[in-house]
Amino acid sequence: MSYLLHIDSSSLGEASVSRKVAQSFRAAWRGPVVHHDLAASPVPHITAAGVSARVTDPAQHTPEQAEAAKFQDDLIEEFLGARAYLFTVPLYNLSMPSVFKAWLDQIMIAGRTFAVANGAPTAGRPAVVISARGGGYGPGSPNEGRDYLVPTLETILGWDHMLGLDVTTLTPELTMAPDVPAMAELVPLHEKSLTAAHEHAGRLAEAIAGRAA
C-alpha cells in the first residue's frame, strides 16, 4: 500500500502555523497517511556506529552497528514506500529544526536514497514543504537573502543528484506580526500570506492525490 509520508518538525504543537497549513493539505488529501511528529518523538542524531555501519560488511557489524543499521533501514523503507511527501519545516534561526536534520541524516545514504547510478529511487515523486517564518524574507524585504532553509531543503530534497523529489514550497510569512506590537502594521500582509498558503495547500493536495493515484 502506498501512502503520503507526513513529517512534522515544529516545536509549537497546535500553535504552529506550519502544522495548521499542513492540516489544510491533509483535509484535502484522499488516501492513507503515515505521520511522524519529530518534536514529540525525535529521531536520534546519527552516531559513529550509524555512519560506520554503512561501509562495513553486515556480517562484521558490532551490536551497536547492527542496531543503528536496523534503525536506518526501517526509516528508509518507510521513506521509499511513500508515493508523496508532506514536510512541515519552520524556519528556526535561519535554518531547519535540528530534529528534521536528524531525520534527514538517518535516511540520506549514498547508493540507496541518493547518488544512485540510475537516479534516486524517489525521483519525480511529489513533495510539499511548508515552512512558516516569523518575519519576511521575500524580495525587497530587509531579510531578503537570509533564508538559508528553503534553498537547502530544495537542494537536498529536489536536486536530481540527491533525492530528486518534485518539490513545491509554501512559506507563510510574518507569523509573529499578530503578537509583536512593533510588527502590528504587518498583520494584513501576514493574513494575506497565511490565507494564500492554506488555499494553495488544499489545491496541491487535490492535484497530487490525482497525479499519484
Side-chain angles (χ1 to χ4, degrees), residues 76-93:
I76 290 170
E77 181 179 352
E78 179 178 77
F79 174 71
L80 296 178
R83 61 172 170 152
Y85 304 86
L86 175 61
F87 303 112
T88 55
V89 192
L91 182 69
Y92 284 1
N93 300 313

Side-chain angles (χ1 to χ4, degrees), residues 9 38 45 96-106 152 156:
S9 64
L38 298 180
H45 289 282
M96 70 185 75
S98 64
V99 291
F100 191 79
K101 181 62 164 59
W103 178 81
L104 275 177
D105 288 343
Q106 294 284 4
T152 298
I156 294 172

Side-chain angles (χ1 to χ4, degrees), residues 23-108:
Q23 287 309 309
S24 289
F25 183 100
R26 290 280 303 273
W29 178 261
R30 296 295 178 264
V33 177
V34 172
H35 175 234
H36 288 296
D37 184 344
L38 298 180
S41 300
V43 167
H45 289 282
I46 194 77
T47 63
V51 173
S52 60
R54 298 174 178 183
V55 294
T56 303
D57 184 338
Q60 302 300 319
H61 278 174
T62 66
E64 292 78 14
Q65 288 175 321
E67 181 180 1
K70 174 63 165 58
F71 183 79
Q72 293 174 21
D73 287 345
D74 289 346
L75 288 181
I76 290 170
E77 181 179 352
E78 179 178 77
F79 174 71
L80 296 178
R83 61 172 170 152
Y85 304 86
L86 175 61
F87 303 112
T88 55
V89 192
L91 182 69
Y92 284 1
N93 300 313
L94 307 182
S95 187
M96 70 185 75
S98 64
V99 291
F100 191 79
K101 181 62 164 59
W103 178 81
L104 275 177
D105 288 343
Q106 294 284 4
I107 70 158
M108 296 293 293

